[in-house]
Amino acid sequence: MINEQVLLQEDLKARERIERNLDTTFLVEAGAGSGKTKSIVDRMIALVKTEKAEVRDIAAITFTNKAASELMGRFRMRLESELAGAEEASPVRALLKKAIQQVPESYIGTIHAFCGRLLRERPIEAKLDPSFQEMDPQEDREFRDKCWDDYLEKLRTNGEDSRIDELLEMEINIDDLKAAYNRAAQYEDVAIMIDEAAIRPDLDIIRYSLFPMVEEAALFIPSVVPEKDWDDLQRTILAAKRYLRSMNMADDLNVLALAKLFDRALNVTQKRWTDKNQAKLFKEQFQDWRITTLQPFLQRWREYVHPKLIGFALPAVEFYRSRRMEAGKLNFQDLLMKATELLRGYPEVRAYFGRRYSHLFVDEFQDTDPIQAEMMLLLTGDDPAESNWRKQQPRPGSVFIVGDPKQSIYRFRRADISTYNFVKKRIEQCGGVLQLTRNFRSVKSIGDYVNYAFESKFSPPGQLSDTQAPYVRMLTTQANPRENAGLHGIYTMAVPKQAFDRFDDIARFDAEQAAQFVAWACGDKVSIQEVVEGKTTTRPARPGDFLILLKRKEYIDLYAELLERYGFPSDTAGSLAVFEETKALYQLAMVLCDPTDRIPLLAVLRGMLFGISDDALYHYRNAGGNISLYSSLECASDKSAVVDQALDKIRQYAKWVRELPALSAFSKIVIDHGLIPAAAVSESGAIRCGTLMKLLEVLQSDTEAANEWLALTKKLGALMKDAESMEAASIFAGKADTVRIMNLHKAKGLEAPIVILACPCGEDDHDAQEHIDRMVEPPVGYVTISKPKNAYQSEIIAQPAGWNGISEKEREYMNAEEERLLYVATTRAKQLLIVSQYPSRPAIDPWSKLAVSLQHQPELDIVVVDQVRREKIDAPSDIGSHIAE
Ligand SMILES: Nc1ncnc2c1ncn2[C@@H]1O[C@H](COP(=O)(O)OP(=O)(O)OP(=O)(O)O)[C@@H](O)[C@H]1O
């Protein structure tokens, strides 16, 4: 193998330099499985042992709190083991002892918490209320929503709501305005591009071109419906005719709505027209008109709307910002921006923190917020007077950055490759860029596959591109398991064609195969190779060896459900938390907020909590019963007695709500109704039960919700609406021997002996939504606003001028990131990687970009395994009757 030995030597040298060249600033590009955390710990220990730094001088910034606690744990353990190995009375021993004492004084944590620290020490210079509070993303969302409502209210009270009316006349509704507000609020550090000069496009161009075409084509549509129905163009023309007859076409918005009917490919079946040749001509004519007239027009319209929408949103965002400051509440972005402003604005503060944290470590640099780069250079810069971070150069050895540009997967959360490349160049000038290429994680067959699959996907080695990371060969040193000692390498697992390529069916088939494989493998059929204290051993596979990764989160619970059927517990991350129990509890909470409202009351009676049939309700009404919490039927018939019992129960709940703090009442209801055991024995019981318990925890952490029923109801509503705000959790979460199932972004930094890239469906090809240019000062944002078109698609309703070219550029970035996501996915496996495929329709398969490299990999033989019999309640509504009894 060419140069493999040389490359290994280079890797070794790089690792030595990390520990030895402590006065050199390094950016370490460490490939997958190369032991990033270990290299950080090695350097920290070296700093302590050589007295270059004390532990209290060290700040290490990690991507998540979990990564921070792992780093902290490993650092502490290394200090302890170094101490145990140090000679009695040696100077190093004293240093290590002191270091251990100082561990609590060091900083190891996320960038946001670090900024919080800086700001708490210097609130006056930061112009902050010293008792400011940090808001997590969920609290921030709620605060932002509240500010939006208040802002609209303020406009109304000040008589400024005519501004809203103006926008409503442009086919914009209140939801669109809020979408613009939410979008602009994401980019407070960016100058959002607005073209104030955009002029209103004249809709006469549509009137004069489209109306006559519609009238003419209508003449060739038969008067009776063709045997096989109207074709697309006919249907659209007939709809347009109805529109023209019934709507006021002097109104521009009606014309716009009509024109949009024609903004799609309209198929024509010639024989359904009265004249085939004319039909062919119409097809071409409408298609041509769409491209040459309609689409340019719609583009100009979206450009015209854009400044109005953004212009409305920006003052609302400013209102939200000033509300945060007045209330002393900082969101994550504020923490970064305020801390950077503080360092930028005060040379003495810069110098103070530069001394205080003289050795800065930054992990996962490829995925952090670009403002972090500014902070980092301001803190470590060698010129005390320079406030422009781009001109700063780190002091020798002051910063140690670790990252892997091949694993940058958070562009949607502001990660930015151009900032990464800028910092890399800067460090090249004043320190060194090192490559760690040796991979300790995967066996050779996986390494070979990864190299083969990604060499052509990344940019040529050593070449800096502003969209894609350069390819670096991965050097695996773990041998494959000996023959018959363990299934290893890469396998595919295909799902056969499903009717209409329905996602639900594809996912279910795949989940069943995956569960069967896990069951088979754990039945002593697959051995796992492990290196323990330098010795290679094997042991039977167990559930904890499996990591199932999905590109999208919708189907995570399905995989958990199928695994459960085969008797395997799982631990999920990133799946949606909206189960029937949560929905039913929310409905009940609404009833208890306003018991006079009969509609939710009826829904609760018929829903999963009480499962009362329409028949029973009918009998109850017939017997003179009133569906109300305030009346009870004296002599109900047998059939309707259940209604009375349910109403009694709800009355009882209402009493608890009046008498107890909200969370106590809520918990009592959950227990009284037996929801936790009921969830536990239902389909996906472990997750549903775990999610209910997590729900109680989430409510407990919100003081207002825990005390007040209305706030609790609102909180439940927010959790239902915003799937991002609470993830489902299994009761097995955190237990060691469970199959882990998660979406790909959650798998950052994780590994497992066996990885399944599952669920070969659900891929969508969504358009770019924004593009941020961070190479100019201040950074400029090109932001579009969209609204849902239907359940699956959205349409852009406002866009900045020149968006087509800009969005193409952004697509390049997005496509490049897709490749990196695949790199992250394939590099999680230690011994065996299984890739699910849906060959019948690659466009919907998120893993299909690997198809070419997978061509010669064997397909997994799925051995049919029986499901485990378990007792379960068949219909959720049964729970109600159980309780009623
Ligand atoms: N020097 C080493 N010798 C032997 N094994 C190591 C060494 N360093 C790390 N490992 C092992 O290699 C595996 C990968 O290490 P780690 O998870 O730290 O890699 P990483 O660089 O964070 O990878 P990724 O970026 O892909 O998440 C782990 O199982 C770890 O225990």
Side-chain angles (χ1 to χ4, degrees), residues 31-38 407 440-441 749 751 828 830:
S34 60
K36 294 181 189 66
T37 313
K38 183 172 181 304
Q407 295 188 64
F440 296 99
R441 174 179 297 148
E751 62 182 17
R828 301 302 96 201
K830 290 172 152 190

Side-chain angles (χ1 to χ4, degrees), residues 5 30 33 74 108 183 238 282 314 322 382 412 433 531 581 605 629 662 672 695 777 792 850 861 884:
Q5 280 312 317
R74 287 182 50 181
I108 300 184
R183 206 112 174 82
L238 291 173
F282 288 137
L314 288 178
S322 57
D382 62 353
F412 71 96
V433 173
V531 182
E581 299 79 39
L605 291 173
L629 290 193
D672 179 74
L695 180 68
E777 206 54 57
Y792 306 101
L850 294 171
D861 272 336

Side-chain angles (χ1 to χ4, degrees), residues 28 297 427 735 745:
V28 181
F297 177 85
I427 305 274
K735 302 270 181 326
H745 278 95

Side-chain angles (χ1 to χ4, degrees), residues 311-546:
F312 183 85
L314 288 178
V317 172
E318 179 49 34
F319 177 82
Y320 156 56
R321 199 196 62 78
S322 57
R323 275 288 176 91
R324 293 198 307 273
M325 296 308 131
E326 280 163 23
K329 289 181 175 233
L330 268 56
N331 64 21
F332 280 9
Q333 204 54 27
D334 291 329
L335 289 168
L336 285 171
M337 284 166 62
K338 286 275 163 201
T340 315
E341 265 168 45
L342 172 69
L343 295 176
R344 205 187 296 134
Y346 294 89
E348 73 285 3
V349 175
R350 257 193 330 263
Y352 166 75
F353 284 121
R355 278 193 308 276
R356 172 86 198 281
Y357 299 109
S358 60
H359 288 77
L360 194 62
F361 288 74
V362 180
D363 195 6
E364 304 276 14
F365 184 62
Q366 80 283 354
D367 270 334
T368 47
D369 195 297
I371 300 180
Q372 186 180 327
E374 176 167 5
M375 264 194 72
M376 190 178 78
L377 288 176
L378 288 174
L379 262 183
T380 60
D382 62 353
D383 181 352
E386 181 59 71
S387 61
N388 181 347
W389 69 284
R390 288 181 187 275
K391 295 188 181 154
Q392 280 284 15
Q393 189 134 296
R395 297 180 299 277
S398 59
V399 60
F400 182 77
I401 305 166
V402 184
D404 182 3
K406 300 188 293 313
Q407 295 188 64
S408 172
I409 55 172
Y410 276 95
R411 188 168 177 81
F412 71 96
R413 283 207 207 146
R414 308 162 55 90
D416 180 61
I417 201 159
S418 53
T419 311
Y420 179 92
N421 285 343
F422 176 83
V423 172
K424 180 172 170 179
K425 275 200 198 134
R426 183 57 27 128
I427 305 274
E428 259 165 356
Q429 288 155 5
C430 68
V433 173
L434 303 175
Q435 300 285 343
L436 299 186
T437 53
R438 180 170 171 177
N439 172 296
F440 296 99
R441 174 179 297 148
S442 308
V443 295
K444 187 169 181 314
S445 48
I446 292 182
D448 289 347
Y449 169 74
V450 169
N451 286 332
Y452 166 66
F454 289 92
E455 181 164 11
S456 56
K457 291 187 186 286
F458 288 128
S459 59
Q463 191 172 303
L464 271 195
S465 130
D466 73 348
T467 47
Q468 192 52 291
Y471 169 72
V472 180
R473 191 178 163 74
M474 184 164 118
L475 302 172
T476 46
T477 46
Q478 284 258 31
N480 292 331
R482 273 173 291 110
E483 224 168 297
N484 302 328
L487 199 58
H488 68 90
I490 321 289
Y491 283 78
T492 59
M493 186 167 78
V495 174
K497 166 90 183 150
Q498 301 293 304
F500 305 107
D501 302 320
R502 261 195 301 263
F503 291 178
D504 286 1
D505 298 340
I506 299 170
R508 186 161 283 276
F509 194 102
D510 188 61
E512 177 97 43
Q513 290 201 129
Q516 292 202 338
F517 176 70
V518 173
W520 175 80
C522 291
D524 221 358
K525 295 290 191 303
V526 170
S527 306
I528 300 299
Q529 173 172 287
E530 273 180 338
V531 182
V532 183
E533 288 169 2
K535 266 183 64 188
T536 305
T537 58
T538 55
R539 57 161 178 83
R542 49 182 187 239
D545 293 325
F546 290 83

Side-chain angles (χ1 to χ4, degrees), residues 608-611 642 645-646 649 653 669-676 678 876-885:
M608 74 161 285
L609 293 181
F610 297 97
V642 67
Q645 287 166 11
K649 189 106 262 177
Y653 294 166
I669 294 170
V670 170
I671 293 165
D672 179 74
H673 228 84
L675 281 180
I676 291 178
S877 56
D878 282 2
I879 298 168
S881 37
H882 281 268
I883 290 157
E885 275 160 28

Side-chain angles (χ1 to χ4, degrees), residues 23-206:
D23 292 325
T24 309
T25 295
F26 283 123
L27 183 149
V28 181
E29 296 198 324
S34 60
K36 294 181 189 66
T37 313
K38 183 172 181 304
S39 63
I40 293 177
V41 173
D42 285 348
R43 184 152 168 122
M44 286 177 169
I45 297 283
L47 283 170
V48 169
K49 283 168 73 174
T50 53
E51 276 186 282
K52 291 272 180 199
E54 291 195 19
V55 167
R56 62 158 76 102
D57 304 333
I58 291 177
I61 290 166
T62 55
F63 195 65
T64 58
N65 286 322
K66 189 163 163 257
S69 61
E70 194 196 326
L71 180 60
M72 175 69 101
R74 287 182 50 181
F75 181 44
R76 195 187 277 270
M77 264 166 57
R78 266 289 293 282
L79 286 171
E80 301 276 1
S81 73
E82 293 276 337
L83 180 67
E87 275 179 31
E88 277 300 330
S90 64
V92 169
R93 192 174 173 84
L95 288 172
L96 288 165
K97 268 194 170 165
K98 188 167 159 201
I100 291 171
Q101 280 163 5
Q102 280 185 13
V103 168
E105 289 173 66
S106 67
Y107 177 83
I108 300 184
T110 63
I111 180 71
H112 302 110
F114 183 64
C115 292
R117 258 196 186 199
L118 304 192
L119 294 170
R120 283 205 192 282
E121 265 196 57
R122 294 300 185 112
I124 309 297
E125 290 91 335
K127 301 176 190 67
L128 281 175
D129 174 350
S131 60
F132 71 86
Q133 290 166 4
E134 296 163 30
M135 288 192 285
D136 66 25
Q138 169 62 17
E139 285 170 284
D140 183 31
R141 256 193 297 265
E142 287 170 15
F143 191 84
R144 194 171 63 218
D145 283 350
K146 171 93 178 57
C147 289
W148 172 250
D149 293 342
D150 292 352
Y151 183 71
L152 293 186
E153 189 53 43
K154 186 183 125 190
L155 290 185
R156 257 173 235 130
T157 344
N158 294 354
E160 293 173 67
D161 41 355
S162 56
R163 288 178 48 206
I164 303 178
D165 296 340
E166 262 170 55
L167 289 155
L168 298 182
E169 278 164 26
M170 278 190 282
E171 223 206 354
I172 292 169
N173 60 35
I174 291 285
D175 287 344
D176 304 333
L177 290 176
K178 189 165 181 194
Y181 161 77
N182 280 332
R183 206 112 174 82
Q186 270 177 290
Y187 295 103
E188 286 188 44
D189 59 324
V190 161
I192 296 182
M193 187 55 94
I194 311 187
D195 177 10
E196 301 280 9
I199 40 172
R200 186 180 173 99
D202 187 350
L203 273 134
D204 279 351
I205 191 172
I206 301 290

